[in-house]
Amino acid sequence: MISTPDFVLVVVIAVLFAGGVYLMLERSLSRVLIGIILVSNGANLLMLVVGGPPGGAPIVGMTPEQEMSDPLPQAMVLTAIVITLGMSAFLLAMAYRSWQLNEHDEVQDDLEDRRLARQAATDQGLRSELGFDGALPATLDEDAAEARDEMALFGEERAEVDWE
Amino acid sequence: MTWLVPLPVILPLAGAGLALTMSRHPRAQRVISVVVLTLVLVAAVSLLGLADRGPLVVDVGGWAAPVGISLVSDRLAALMLSVSAAVTLCVLLYSLAQGLADGDEEAPVAIYHPTYLVLVAGVANTFLSGDLFNLYVGFEMLLLASFVLITLGGTAARIRSGSIYVVVAIASSLVFVVAIALTYSATGTLNLAHLAQRLPEIDPGIALVLQLLLLIAFSVKAAVFPMSAWLPDSYPTAPAPVTAVFAGLLTKVGIYAILRTQTLLFAEGRADELLMTAALITMLVGILGAVVQNDVKRLLSFTLVSHVGYMIFGISLSSQAGLAAAIFYVIHHITVQTSLFLVVGLIERRGGTTSLIRLGGLARVAPLLAILFFVPAMSLAGIPPFSGFLGKLGLLQAGVADGSLLAIVLVIGGVAVSLLTLYVIIKAWNQAFVQDAPDDLPDTTLPRGMVGPTAALVALGLTLTFLAGPLYAYADRAASDLLAQSPYVDSVFSRGDRGVGESPEAAEGTPP
């Protein structure tokens, strides 16, 4: 018997993926987290749908063999749900920690990106207007070393420079 | 002797649980971790010997093969397991000495030990897995452990770099889950050996989609361009031993998954040209990134990305010579890259910084440290007679033997990248070890417990040079197994279309 998957479920999967991907492209970690949860629910639903037509409980003696549903995708979805739960808990903790440290939970720029931004601001004479303080180091090498030391202060709960 | 196969997964997991209950007794935790990892090393090396006579298969829970999950230890898996066990043990000893020297301030050790053991179990699980979904579970185990390790202490810098690492890793896992769901829908199985039989029978277009989805998921983990940008940003901020084990092992787990799936599941090699192009760009972009770096940790992270390209190059050739060279290169790179990051940890202790601008004159004040840096660094750059030279030579020979235009371009690119690596390494050597430091370096000594494991790992790298003959022959046999497919598939389906196991209803009943 060839059966096509339920149309409504396919639409729901598409919506979950689209919304999830949109949210994952946001900068705030909590939105990224919601996006991840949406996409992984979409993926779990996908796994259920590809498991074939719905049927009875796959227990010998309870359901005739022809009417059983495939138990394997259900077991896999269960595993995937547990894993997503663990990941979400970790991301939540991380977003909270980021908020504790920086008073926001936005994913911050790469070190090199920040150096580029600083350099570009200097080149365009916008330095003071954008709130960059202090003199720029004379050479690129010194600038790099300075940026590194700024990041090397592991132990201190120091708020990052907010570039926005 | 098949009871040995699950040990590299079970022992660290049991050890992790035990270490967690002992969270108030740091000394007991240390003993547990060291004992467990030593046992894993013994088991892995025994498997290395046994697998040479044919793959060992365990059907988990006694469920016969395509129904149950199998753990397969063939030559490739055993080789990867042995090297990873040796490396993780050395890194553990190093981190213990660092913890003792620092008074455990920077790393909350109560969490460190269980997490580290889970990481080891996850890595072993991915190497041994004979099932696509179990491979996913292995990946998640090692990823979750790596999330904890990379944000250890929860400082601002680590949360910043960690958030990028975590989000990228989860995104790639989601791609992997989707690929698994679609594979199951297309073939009705997830057992790798079963997939090897069924995938050639399905529509080639769908098979190509599955191949590319899996490649994307694994390439993110292996840091293949254009999915490599997360690596140089996230690795350097973690503690030195953590960075070392990540750089050595985690990208290689991705490489292993690519190697396994491209040879066993998609043997036609329809993505070879794509992989070759990706390999070339990965090598070039990585090394150009390293050229402009002034921080030795970031510099090494970029060379790591660059050298992932070499392994992809070997895999993309799909020939026995290419695969053998890729396997040898993976083994070489795990040891060398890990020892380099451990040495950088020592440099940071001795010089107080990893910035090449501020370091200097270390060769005079710490000659042993200079030797420990020089040997693996030259091996990384591919200077004869070190193992890096042998691996690169094998890759270049395989590329020339392939003879296609793209392969020749890759050979030229490989030589150029090798020279650029040498330039980068010499530059770092000059700045950190030879030139005078701008300011005086702090006057400290290195703890012997940290130098010891580093020296052991450097020595292991040297041993690879001396044992290159037998090791390369072993890698060659592993490559021929991979290409033939039949040793793997036949050992999983040891009873015709079933594996050994006690699931009589499933084995004897007629399939629906």
Side-chain angles (χ1 to χ4, degrees), chain B residues 35-79:
Chain B
V35 168
V36 162
L37 288 186
T38 314
L39 288 177
V40 169
L41 180 62
V42 172
V45 172
S46 325
L47 281 176
L48 184 67
L50 290 170
D52 206 17
R53 283 183 241 151
L56 286 88
V57 181
V58 166
D59 287 326
V60 177
W63 289 84
V67 180
I69 295 169
S70 18
L71 295 180
V72 186
S73 159
D74 65 345
R75 289 195 177 98
L76 174 62
L79 200 56

Side-chain angles (χ1 to χ4, degrees), chain B residues 66-414:
Chain B
V67 180
I69 295 169
S70 18
L71 295 180
V72 186
S73 159
D74 65 345
R75 289 195 177 98
L76 174 62
L79 200 56
M80 300 290 288
L81 265 183
S82 307
V83 178
S84 67
V87 165
T88 42
L89 182 60
C90 283
V91 173
L92 178 76
L93 293 175
Y94 179 97
S95 65
L96 288 184
Q98 185 179 21
L100 288 177
D102 290 350
D104 297 338
E105 274 164 20
E106 222 186 285
V109 172
I111 309 167
Y112 177 78
H113 285 267
T115 320
Y116 191 81
L117 290 173
V118 170
L119 182 84
V120 175
V123 170
N125 194 22
T126 42
F127 289 154
L128 286 172
S129 174
D131 184 283
L132 209 53
F133 195 78
N134 197 25
L135 190 71
Y136 165 74
V137 174
F139 265 131
E140 299 307 298
M141 276 161 72
L142 73 89
L143 281 180
L144 259 181
S146 72
F147 293 168
V148 176
L149 289 176
I150 210 166
T151 53
L152 215 58
T155 57
R158 286 182 193 165
I159 291 289
R160 183 197 68 81
S161 60
S163 56
I164 295 166
Y165 174 79
V166 169
V167 172
V168 169
I170 293 181
S172 83
S173 296
L174 290 173
V175 176
F176 194 9
V177 175
V178 171
I180 287 174
L182 296 180
T183 308
Y184 188 75
S185 121
T187 61
T189 183
L190 289 175
N191 186 294
L192 288 180
H194 211 196
L195 280 174
Q197 294 173 336
R198 284 196 182 174
L199 272 173
E201 295 166 7
I202 68 170
D203 183 70
I206 292 177
L208 188 63
V209 170
L210 298 178
Q211 182 177 11
L212 292 179
L213 271 177
L214 286 175
L215 262 184
I216 291 174
F218 298 147
S219 298
V220 176
K221 268 136 196 161
V224 179
F225 186 85
M227 284 85 87
S228 59
W230 58 270
L231 192 147
D233 187 42
S234 55
Y235 278 12
T237 43
V242 171
T243 311
V245 77
F246 281 17
L249 284 180
L250 296 200
T251 49
K252 307 312 180 294
V253 171
I255 294 284
Y256 169 83
I258 293 178
L259 187 55
R260 182 64 83 194
T261 50
Q262 294 304 305
T263 53
L264 189 61
L265 305 189
F266 307 100
E268 298 98 336
R270 284 193 289 170
D272 280 356
E273 291 190 354
L274 180 71
L275 277 178
M276 282 193 195
T277 319
L280 183 66
I281 306 177
T282 309
M283 289 198 280
L284 289 175
V285 170
I287 203 65
L288 291 179
V291 166
V292 295
Q293 288 302 319
N294 293 311
D295 179 272
V296 68
K297 274 187 174 178
R298 288 180 74 93
L299 184 149
L300 282 178
S301 302
F302 273 102
T303 61
L304 168 62
V305 173
S306 159
H307 285 237
V308 162
Y310 282 102
M311 300 165 221
I312 298 292
F313 172 32
I315 295 171
S316 69
L317 291 173
S318 286
S319 63
Q320 185 171 338
L323 291 177
I327 296 170
F328 183 82
Y329 203 88
V330 170
I331 303 300
H332 141 78
H333 200 254
I334 290 177
T335 44
V336 163
Q337 194 77 41
T338 311
S339 40
L340 273 175
F341 271 106
L342 289 186
V343 173
V344 166
L346 294 178
I347 292 178
E348 193 176 7
R349 284 190 87 80
R350 187 65 189 84
T353 172
T354 52
S355 162
L356 288 172
I357 308 296
R358 302 192 178 180
L359 285 170
L362 280 174
R364 253 166 293 131
V365 292
L368 179 63
L369 186 61
I371 295 171
L372 288 181
F373 179 80
F374 191 78
V375 170
M378 286 298 119
S379 186
L380 186 75
I383 299 298
F386 297 115
S387 54
F389 168 73
L390 301 168
K392 287 200 177 81
L393 186 68
L395 282 174
L396 299 184
Q397 277 177 336
V400 171
D402 186 77
S404 67
L405 179 66
L406 205 51
I408 299 299
V409 173
L410 261 166
V411 167
I412 298 169

Side-chain angles (χ1 to χ4, degrees), chain A residues 19-26 31-32 35-36 39, chain B residues 167 170-171 174:
Chain A
V21 169
Y22 177 81
L23 282 174
M24 277 167 78
L25 297 175
E26 291 277 325
R31 290 187 192 187
V32 171
I36 285 171
V39 175
Chain B
V167 172
I170 293 181
L174 290 173

